[in-house]
Amino acid sequence: SVNGVRQKPDEPTVKFNFASPGLHEVVKRYAIEFFEKNPAAECISMSPSDGGGLDDSPENARMGSISDRVVGLANEVAEAVNAHFHRPLYVHLYIYDAYSAPPTIKVHPMLIVEQAQGFNTTDYTFDELWELWRKQGIRTGGVYEYLDVFSWSLGFPALARASNFEYLGESLARFKAQQRLIYCAESSRSFGANGRGYYWLSRLLWRVDERQQTGAILEDFTQRAFGPAAAPMRRFYELLERHDLPEFC
């Protein structure tokens, strides 16, 4: 229930009632059946769906924080599928929104934990929060970046992180130093405004030290993409990506 009102199954933000008798067994059976039907799969997500709706009943509160409940269920699933199949299988979780806070319980070694670059509901900084989660035993971690969300940028130039080379270069180097192995990003098809950024990032995700060659990578994109029109298109992108101009000039 949320605020004392039982949620209906067809509501868009309905979530698990972690205190419901038998729920954990149902979820573990579901995960085992998933891997049986998808023998090539190596990972299953146990992150709650987006939005609110997490149960705040006294029964759930007695189970610990929302993070404890989410991690606890994911731990049980990881234990069950690895015991059943006797091969490495992973369970995926986000550090996000209502379950941003570090859990008080240990994280199963077969959990993949990605930290969202937004919607941090704690008082910790992004890096502080990661270190607190790592202390709970994360072995495989990563980041979920927001390169360009259309509802935020509306496709306009210089408003998305995808074309902010200084920010992305610094953050990628930091993520590598923090031993994050996975990088996922929410993006839109804004190739007009952010095409060079997408190309540049695809190079740096293989070799972060290539950020020292940013100029050469951007020129490579312009030459390969536009050929004889490279010179005017270079000026076009340099204008688009300026952050010191009045908005929508």
Side-chain angles (χ1 to χ4, degrees), residues 105-127:
I105 60 176
K106 291 293 184 181
V107 172
H108 193 282
M110 298 306 288
L111 259 60
I112 294 174
V113 182
E114 280 185 66
Q115 184 181 9
Q117 270 277 40
F119 305 97
N120 174 6
T121 56
T122 75
D123 293 328
Y124 299 111
T125 66
F126 182 80
D127 290 341

Side-chain angles (χ1 to χ4, degrees), residues 123-198:
D123 293 328
Y124 299 111
T125 66
F126 182 80
D127 290 341
E128 288 171 345
L129 190 57
W130 176 247
E131 290 305 316
L132 289 170
W133 273 80
R134 282 189 68 188
K135 288 178 180 178
Q136 295 303 79
I138 293 175
R139 291 188 182 179
T140 307
V143 64
Y144 185 91
E145 180 62 274
Y146 297 91
L147 289 179
D148 187 19
V149 181
F150 183 79
S151 59
W152 299 354
S153 72
L154 299 179
F156 283 102
L159 296 184
R161 291 174 177 172
S163 60
N164 190 332
F165 304 113
E166 182 179 356
Y167 161 80
L168 289 175
E170 184 279 328
S171 62
L172 286 176
R174 195 171 79 254
F175 298 154
K176 180 181 178 182
Q178 293 170 341
Q179 300 180 317
R180 302 183 194 241
L181 302 179
I182 297 169
Y183 186 95
C184 292
E186 190 168 335
S187 315
S188 64
R189 291 179 287 184
S190 54
F191 292 98
N194 299 305
R196 293 208 312 175
Y198 288 150

Side-chain angles (χ1 to χ4, degrees), residues 27-228:
V27 175
K28 286 187 284 188
R29 286 201 304 272
Y30 166 82
I32 289 171
E33 290 174 2
F34 169 82
F35 285 115
E36 287 176 341
K37 294 175 182 177
N38 301 276
E42 298 178 337
C43 184
I44 187 172
S45 175
M46 281 292 131
S47 274
S49 58
D50 208 349
L54 285 153
D55 196 300
D56 59 5
S57 65
E59 294 81 7
N60 274 270
R62 284 194 288 270
M63 298 177 69
S65 69
I66 295 174
S67 295
D68 283 349
R69 292 172 236 164
V70 171
V71 171
L73 178 59
N75 282 349
E76 288 190 34
V77 171
E79 189 67 30
V81 296
N82 280 278
H84 184 86
F85 292 98
H86 303 290
R87 63 184 177 93
L89 293 172
Y90 291 91
V91 173
H92 177 275
L93 276 186
Y94 287 118
I95 301 173
Y96 177 73
D97 201 22
Y99 45 100
S100 297
T104 63
I105 60 176
K106 291 293 184 181
V107 172
H108 193 282
M110 298 306 288
L111 259 60
I112 294 174
V113 182
E114 280 185 66
Q115 184 181 9
Q117 270 277 40
F119 305 97
N120 174 6
T121 56
T122 75
D123 293 328
Y124 299 111
T125 66
F126 182 80
D127 290 341
E128 288 171 345
L129 190 57
W130 176 247
E131 290 305 316
L132 289 170
W133 273 80
R134 282 189 68 188
K135 288 178 180 178
Q136 295 303 79
I138 293 175
R139 291 188 182 179
T140 307
V143 64
Y144 185 91
E145 180 62 274
Y146 297 91
L147 289 179
D148 187 19
V149 181
F150 183 79
S151 59
W152 299 354
S153 72
L154 299 179
F156 283 102
L159 296 184
R161 291 174 177 172
S163 60
N164 190 332
F165 304 113
E166 182 179 356
Y167 161 80
L168 289 175
E170 184 279 328
S171 62
L172 286 176
R174 195 171 79 254
F175 298 154
K176 180 181 178 182
Q178 293 170 341
Q179 300 180 317
R180 302 183 194 241
L181 302 179
I182 297 169
Y183 186 95
C184 292
E186 190 168 335
S187 315
S188 64
R189 291 179 287 184
S190 54
F191 292 98
N194 299 305
R196 293 208 312 175
Y198 288 150
Y199 179 76
W200 174 85
L201 186 61
S202 72
R203 294 277 298 269
L204 264 69
L205 287 173
W206 286 104
R207 290 188 59 183
V208 174
D209 57 356
E210 280 204 350
R211 68 190 178 120
Q212 308 300 332
Q213 308 298 323
T214 291
I217 295 172
L218 298 183
E219 181 62 20
D220 181 61
F221 167 82
T222 307
Q223 292 290 340
R224 290 173 181 268
F226 303 109

